[in-house]
Amino acid sequence: MDASFPSLWFLQALILTSLVTVHAQLPGAWELLVLNAGVASMHTAVTRFNTVVLLDRTNIGPSRKMLPKGHCRYDRNDAVLKKDCYAHSVVFDLKTNQIRPLMILTDTWCSSGQFLPNGTLLQTGGDLDGLRKIRTFEPCEPDGFCDWVELKDVELVNGRWYATNQILPDGTVIIVGGRGTNTVEYYPPRKNGNGAVELKFLSDVEDNQMDNLYPYVHLLPNGHLFIFANNKAVMYDHQDNEVIREYPELLGGPRNYPSAGSSLMLALDGDFSTAVVVICGGAQYGAFIERSTDTPAHGSCGRIVATDPNPSWEMEDMPFGRVMGDMVMLPTGDSLIINGAQTGTQGFDMASNPCLNPVLYRPDQPVGLRFMTLNPGTIPRMYHSTANLLPDGRVLLAGSNPHYLYNFAAEFPTELRLEAFSPEYLSPDRANIRPEIKGIPNMVRYGETFEVSVSVPLPVIGIVEVNFGSAPFATHSFSQGQRLVKLTVTPSIPDNGRYRIKCTAPPNGAVAPPGYYMAFAVNQGVPSVARWVHLVA
């Protein structure tokens, strides 16, 4: 044996040890919650009862969760199961990790959703018999028996597959686009009888691989909508149904389905007059047409002040190229970019090289210092996966099924496991500065002044923020209705071992549409467990 062998072995061992040490030092922690959720969640939403609705599509064959005895779906047109006694939606109890089956009747494949002001989940569209359907889920306590209701007295004017929903300042919901549907409509339907209204912008940006599906829709604090599709955006006046501004093109290729990166609007704060939109990642044009699994994804992000009279895109690069990533707004105002692949595109069996490292985006840092690579996971979550902020500050990861039916033997199998990722702010060494909300109103009105009482193990230094986070409907790399509003607060006042914080509720529905919000107290970048607050007019 070569005399150099021991030194070579030592060098290899040292390199391996160094790599393990580097990984161990990356921020964030992973936790496996459930081995088998029964369904691969394509759509996910967190309810005010601290439960989570997981929703797949109906015509996918047997899931791994049975419906209660005697509850079967009969569909003679279903090519896989004409008598289907399997659940394709479930509700997950965050406290007990228990799963309860729900019954969905019509196809929810690539559909859209949004919570209404009363906390009911509105769910719209899909494919086949679900194309024009409107469904509701009125959540209940974890030991309740609430279930999906398919509305019979109203349906969508246009069939909508791959559409986006956004709640508006008055609590109604706009439903934007869909495959072959370049219109918008509203729920409840508007009384003026317009029904569906053409939005020519959507057809203008469509290319020969579509790239205008699941448009990114953000409600701006001026009441208008920022709508982005493919590589372009407009400001849309939903009252008069007209485009009032065209934004500069975002360079770097398409950004929406089937080439989707992800997008979010940064936290609203101060006088709430400024809104900043960020769009990151995506597939290269042509990868979908060519069914290429090895074409590198975009690594670029564009950031634009959507309310600026002369806006322009500020460009920066993520540590990784990423398609099908999810951008999750954290209670602090930072965002988490998680899930996805480094090569390929959206679609069945059309991506590879999963991106296992989450990335923290810190918007207040200068360009070049905004991204932080975090501790990698071990479960690939690519096509049809989701990420949602939980009330305790963790992020729930669900789904990933890059196959037409369930396939557990593939290189990237159908994924039924549920995980939670804990950002660094939940690390044990920060527990002594983590606040706990001791008192907060269950309901507040716009512009109302109210008090929040918190306790903190160590003395409070600086301002304790109180931030309202919405519960979005996550699907296909975009969280519909995602929003964080940082309330105006006064310095905390010590009071018998606790701290009182005077807060002012958001001024109107353009800043924060009516509905239920997770209210977080944030001390030195560490959030409390949220309390649900109902914001009303």
Side-chain angles (χ1 to χ4, degrees):
M1 182 177 293
D2 191 320
S4 66
F5 175 77
S7 60
L8 179 61
W9 177 88
F10 176 77
L11 180 61
Q12 290 173 331
L14 182 63
I15 292 173
L16 181 60
T17 302
S18 299
L19 289 173
V20 171
T21 302
V22 168
H23 278 179
Q25 292 175 345
L26 290 176
W30 291 84
E31 177 185 1
L32 179 63
L33 302 178
V34 174
L35 278 171
N36 178 12
V39 303
S41 191
M42 185 186 299
H43 322 80
T44 309
V46 180
T47 82
R48 70 185 190 276
F49 292 99
N50 295 328
T51 59
V52 184
V53 178
L54 310 176
L55 177 63
D56 197 3
R57 69 177 221 253
T58 53
N59 62 341
I60 201 165
S63 69
R64 293 300 183 268
K65 188 73 173 178
M66 300 296 296
L67 289 167
K69 187 176 180 179
H71 292 71
C72 297
R73 184 179 66 93
Y74 297 89
D75 184 357
R76 63 181 182 179
N77 296 316
D78 193 318
V80 184
L81 282 177
K82 291 181 171 38
K83 179 183 178 181
D84 186 357
C85 302
Y86 294 90
H88 302 290
S89 180
V90 300
V91 63
F92 169 51
D93 180 359
L94 289 169
K95 184 176 181 179
T96 65
N97 286 352
Q98 295 299 303
I99 301 286
R100 180 172 66 86
L102 302 175
M103 188 167 186
I104 196 90
L105 295 176
T106 56
D107 188 23
T108 50
W109 186 7
C110 301
S111 50
S112 52
Q114 194 82 166
F115 280 104
L116 298 174
N118 67 357
T120 296
L121 179 59
L122 175 74
Q123 216 278 325
T124 53
D127 192 22
L128 302 173
D129 61 349
L131 193 62
R132 296 177 64 184
K133 285 292 182 180
I134 300 176
R135 313 164 192 88
T136 59
F137 179 82
E138 186 175 342
C140 56
E141 295 287 353
D143 59 355
F145 296 97
C146 46
D147 211 332
W148 286 103
V149 174
E150 310 236 354
L151 303 187
K152 297 179 180 179
D153 59 340
V154 63
E155 63 180 8
L156 296 172
V157 176
N158 292 150
R160 298 197 184 267
W161 194 22
Y162 302 92
T164 300
N165 294 9
Q166 171 63 54
I167 189 169
L168 297 174
D170 63 357
T172 62
V173 173
I174 187 171
I175 308 162
V176 181
R179 186 168 180 172
T181 308
N182 299 315
T183 63
V184 305
E185 61 181 283
Y186 301 87
Y187 179 87
R190 290 194 167 176
K191 295 179 181 179
N192 58 17
N194 285 342
V197 179
E198 181 186 15
L199 179 54
K200 188 173 181 295
F201 163 74
L202 293 174
S203 57
D204 290 343
V205 296
E206 183 177 358
D207 57 28
N208 61 351
Q209 59 175 22
M210 294 171 289
D211 283 325
N212 68 342
L213 304 182
Y214 277 126
Y216 301 145
V217 181
H218 301 289
L219 173 64
L220 301 176
N222 60 14
H224 301 314
L225 296 171
F226 178 94
I227 302 178
F228 184 99
N230 195 334
N231 58 2
K232 296 180 181 178
V234 295
M235 185 185 289
Y236 184 69
D237 181 343
H238 59 86
Q239 295 287 358
D240 293 331
N241 291 311
E242 65 178 1
V243 171
I244 57 177
R245 176 184 295 173
E246 295 182 358
Y247 292 91
E249 178 180 334
L250 174 58
L251 301 179
R255 306 282 182 161
N256 293 80
Y257 189 94
S259 304
S262 191
S263 175
L264 55 68
M265 184 173 69
L266 298 182
L268 299 176
D269 60 6
D271 66 359
F272 307 115
S273 64
T274 301
V276 180
V277 173
V278 180
I279 298 173
C280 291
Q284 291 191 38
Y285 173 79
F288 182 78
I289 295 173
E290 298 165 7
R291 298 189 59 83
S292 171
T293 62
D294 57 6
T295 300
H298 298 306
S300 65
C301 290
R303 171 169 163 162
I304 194 167
V305 181
T307 48
D308 193 305
N310 296 294
S312 61
W313 291 99
E314 178 184 70
M315 302 302 296
E316 50 194 323
D317 289 320
M318 297 184 288
F320 309 94
R322 193 185 303 250
V323 61
M324 297 178 286
D326 286 275
M327 297 184 75
V328 180
M329 177 61 73
L330 300 177
T332 58
D334 292 343
S335 59
L336 185 72
I337 306 174
I338 198 166
N339 295 341
Q342 297 183 66
T343 56
T345 182
Q346 288 176 307
F348 293 123
D349 300 300
M350 291 176 66
S352 61
N353 193 11
C355 199
L356 298 175
N357 284 89
V359 171
L360 186 69
Y361 179 74
R362 300 167 295 181
D364 295 336
Q365 297 295 315
V367 174
L369 297 176
R370 289 175 179 157
F371 294 102
M372 176 189 290
T373 301
L374 305 179
N375 187 26
T378 59
I379 299 175
R381 295 196 185 269
M382 303 196 296
Y383 191 42
H384 291 153
S385 60
T386 59
N388 294 73
L389 177 67
L390 298 178
D392 62 9
R394 296 178 299 168
V395 174
L396 178 72
L397 292 315
S400 188
N401 184 24
H403 315 289
Y404 185 73
L405 302 176
Y406 282 12
N407 183 344
F408 300 99
E411 179 183 7
F412 303 113
T414 303
E415 188 53 67
L416 303 182
R417 288 172 288 184
L418 302 180
E419 293 178 287
F421 178 78
S422 294
E424 188 178 22
Y425 54 54
L426 295 179
S427 60
D429 63 344
R430 302 191 184 189
N432 55 6
I433 58 172
R434 189 177 194 192
E436 180 182 354
I437 296 177
K438 294 295 188 178
I440 189 171
N442 293 324
M443 182 183 74
V444 297
R445 298 186 180 278
Y446 288 117
E448 179 183 349
T449 299
F450 62 97
E451 279 196 348
V452 174
S453 173
V454 303
S455 64
V456 186
L458 290 182
V460 166
I461 300 173
I463 296 292
V464 177
E465 298 178 351
V466 177
N467 300 337
F468 277 13
S470 67
F473 181 87
T475 187
H476 290 76
S477 304
F478 183 62
S479 290
Q480 301 178 15
Q482 182 167 231
R483 200 173 202 82
L484 185 75
V485 179
K486 295 191 172 188
L487 304 189
T488 300
V489 298
T490 61
S492 56
I493 300 172
D495 183 15
N496 294 322
R498 298 181 181 180
Y499 296 88
R500 289 185 291 112
I501 307 160
K502 184 175 289 187
C503 310
T504 303
N508 54 56
V511 172
Y516 284 87
Y517 287 82
M518 292 178 279
F520 295 93
V522 180
N523 178 42
Q524 299 182 58
V526 178
S528 67
V529 174
R531 296 273 291 271
W532 291 93
V533 173
H534 196 192
L535 178 62
V536 299

